Amino acid sequence: MKVLVIGGGAREHALCRSLSLDPAVSALHCAPGNAGIAEVAELHPVDALDGAAVTALARELEAGLVVVGPEAPLVAGVADAVRAAGIPVFGPSGEAARLEGSKAFAKDVMAGAGVPTARSYVCTTRAEVDEALDAFGAPYVVKDDGLAAGKGVVVTDDIDKARAHGYACERVVIEEFLDGPEVSLFAITDGTTVVPLQPAQDFKRALDGDEGPNTGGMGAYSPLPWADPKLVQEVLDTVLQPTVDEMRKRGTTFSGLLYAGLAITSRGVRVIEFNARFGDPETQVVLARLRTPLAGILLAAANGTLADLEPLRWSDDAAVTVVIASHNYPDTPRTGDPITGLDAVAAQDAPDAYVLHAGTKRESENGPVLSAGGRVLSVTATGADLAQARERAYTAVGRIGLDGSQHRTDIAAKAAAES
């Protein structure tokens, strides 16, 4: 099978790495990709948001499967264009991707499906924002209704900051604060059958101790030794399957990756948000533990045959990912800096630790790898337990040089100490 992956971040590098190890994949392509993905897939300079261009490329390559990675192309309807051409595609339609593209739409679906979530108000005026903030009180949770690359949410005790974010959004969802640890749970679905993956936890804040501004994610780990063993089944029964069923009832079948961001509160599991694609950086650790070849799973979702799939196989190993970000991230990042140490990681740490590229590029075929975004690299490692996986990940991080870069030093530290 020839596979085309759309996107160019660490999530797509993780997908491409897993697909490159799948014996069923005869050729692997990625558009537009990055410097790391170029080592496992052939790159094509196609605009990921252009459905016609993506479809033309898939036809030219005779792709047997197209995998749309990021949320923006999904919301833009790229999967619709590919699907209309009769090419199997992993990723929801533009209409179904509104589960991520509109927080208000997602709340409406959850209400219809009876999915437990935070109480909320949808606001379009300053008066409504003020009223909602007063109703819930601190800590304030203020979410831009549209896509914001994981950074459109403000959680703060400062009423002025909450109000400023709310006022700046054209449409905003303000909701009650959910206490308790957060969990990311992905599920692959063909619109009827839902197959959950292993849960992970990510770290959104830029600095150690969950301090600093919100980011797209600074690291992740899996499994979660502190989580109830029945958590996955509970979320499948109360969140994932009801949501997929509700979408189908509405005539908007959701097929692809449904990502539930969850809070394990004192009152039970609550949905914080839905995403319509693999999460970054959780994908890096979840796929590191997946033993079932990936292409067949994604193709079954695209073809509506997930019910025929054998149960997924998982490694008992733990996985940890540490994100190396540019100077000044999550504000406007500095780019164009050379990255060193990648060969050293490959030579000394593989296969237990490896580097997945996010914002990188080469300006010439044999030129140095340069930083090209806010989150630059995801250093991923596996081990017999979280402590070993952490140690391997941070050893590899220590070999990498990027002027002015930043990373958290406490990814999975608490979970490793307690397990």
Side-chain angles (χ1 to χ4, degrees):
M1 175 171 34
K2 296 176 181 176
V3 181
L4 169 62
V5 176
I6 303 303
R11 163 188 44 229
E12 286 75 39
H13 193 176
L15 288 164
C16 285
R17 179 182 182 274
S18 291
L19 290 165
S20 74
L21 298 172
D22 187 334
V25 176
S26 57
L28 183 59
H29 301 267
C30 187
N34 63 39
I37 295 173
E39 296 173 14
V40 294
E42 184 180 341
L43 302 191
H44 303 270
V46 167
D47 180 357
L49 294 170
D50 186 336
V54 169
T55 303
L57 176 62
R59 276 200 176 114
E60 181 190 325
L61 297 173
E62 298 179 335
L65 175 67
V66 175
V67 180
V68 184
E71 59 272 25
L74 290 168
V75 171
V78 168
D80 300 85
V82 176
R83 206 172 272 119
I87 301 166
V89 59
F90 181 81
S93 66
E95 185 68 19
R98 287 179 66 213
L99 264 184
E100 175 168 4
S102 169
K103 306 286 190 303
F105 175 75
K107 287 287 188 184
D108 186 59
V109 171
M110 282 188 265
V115 168
T117 187
R119 292 179 300 119
S120 63
Y121 294 102
V122 179
C123 307
T124 55
T125 67
R126 291 190 171 201
E128 288 173 348
V129 168
D130 290 341
E131 191 178 336
L133 292 172
D134 285 345
F136 286 129
Y140 305 101
V141 182
V142 188
K143 300 180 175 183
D144 190 333
D145 181 52
L147 291 181
K151 298 191 285 289
V153 179
V154 166
V155 181
T156 180
D157 287 322
D158 186 328
I159 184 66
D160 293 329
K161 281 185 182 172
R163 196 175 279 132
H165 186 62
Y167 289 174
C169 300
E170 192 173 317
R171 196 170 190 229
V172 66
V173 174
I174 295 173
E175 62 186 40
E176 67 176 328
F177 177 76
L178 296 174
D179 64 332
E182 294 185 11
V183 174
S184 300
L185 186 59
F186 303 161
I188 289 172
T189 178
D190 56 11
T192 301
T193 301
V194 182
V195 178
L197 305 186
Q198 288 291 305
Q201 186 174 62
D202 77 331
F203 295 75
K204 285 290 186 201
R205 298 286 183 172
L207 307 176
D208 285 4
D210 292 326
E211 298 290 333
N214 218 30
T215 73
M218 295 299 289
Y221 70 94
S222 178
L224 310 181
W226 49 267
D228 187 325
K230 300 190 288 290
L231 176 66
V232 172
Q233 188 63 49
E234 180 188 347
V235 175
L236 176 62
D237 294 342
T238 64
V239 174
L240 299 168
Q241 190 71 58
T243 299
V244 169
D245 292 345
E246 174 70 15
M247 292 290 282
R248 192 175 63 254
K249 279 184 211 155
R250 291 175 177 228
T252 313
T253 297
F254 187 103
S255 117
L257 194 289
L258 178 59
Y259 162 150
L262 308 164
I264 313 302
T265 77
S266 53
R267 293 174 293 143
V269 174
R270 297 288 185 272
V271 175
I272 300 169
E273 65 176 356
F274 283 128
N275 290 329
R277 39 72 193 180
F278 280 99
D280 183 350
E282 300 98 322
T283 301
Q284 289 85 304
V285 291
V286 172
L287 292 186
R289 300 184 57 226
L290 179 65
R291 289 290 164 264
T292 303
L294 182 61
I297 308 170
L298 304 185
L299 185 62
N303 287 340
T305 57
L306 264 184
D308 302 333
L309 208 65
E310 292 184 3
L312 301 185
R313 302 191 310 277
W314 295 93
S315 167
D316 291 331
D317 283 356
V320 171
T321 284
V322 180
V323 171
I324 297 177
S326 294
H327 174 73
N328 204 41
Y329 178 76
D331 292 326
T332 305
R334 194 172 85 201
T335 59
D337 289 312
I339 301 165
T340 61
L342 297 173
D343 292 340
V345 174
Q348 297 177 60
D349 302 306
D352 299 319
Y354 48 89
V355 180
L356 298 168
H357 292 230
T360 67
K361 65 177 181 181
R362 285 187 200 267
E363 293 187 333
S364 61
E365 192 174 332
N366 298 311
V369 177
L370 305 175
S371 62
R375 292 185 295 175
V376 181
L377 303 169
S378 284
V379 179
T380 303
T382 56
D385 54 25
L386 284 173
Q388 187 179 52
R390 272 193 94 244
E391 182 185 353
R392 288 171 171 173
Y394 279 107
T395 296
V397 168
R399 301 191 203 282
I400 293 170
L402 173 60
D403 187 44
S405 67
Q406 55 176 314
H407 65 271
R408 282 184 58 159
T409 65
D410 62 346
I411 303 299
K414 187 166 179 276
E418 292 173 355
S419 62

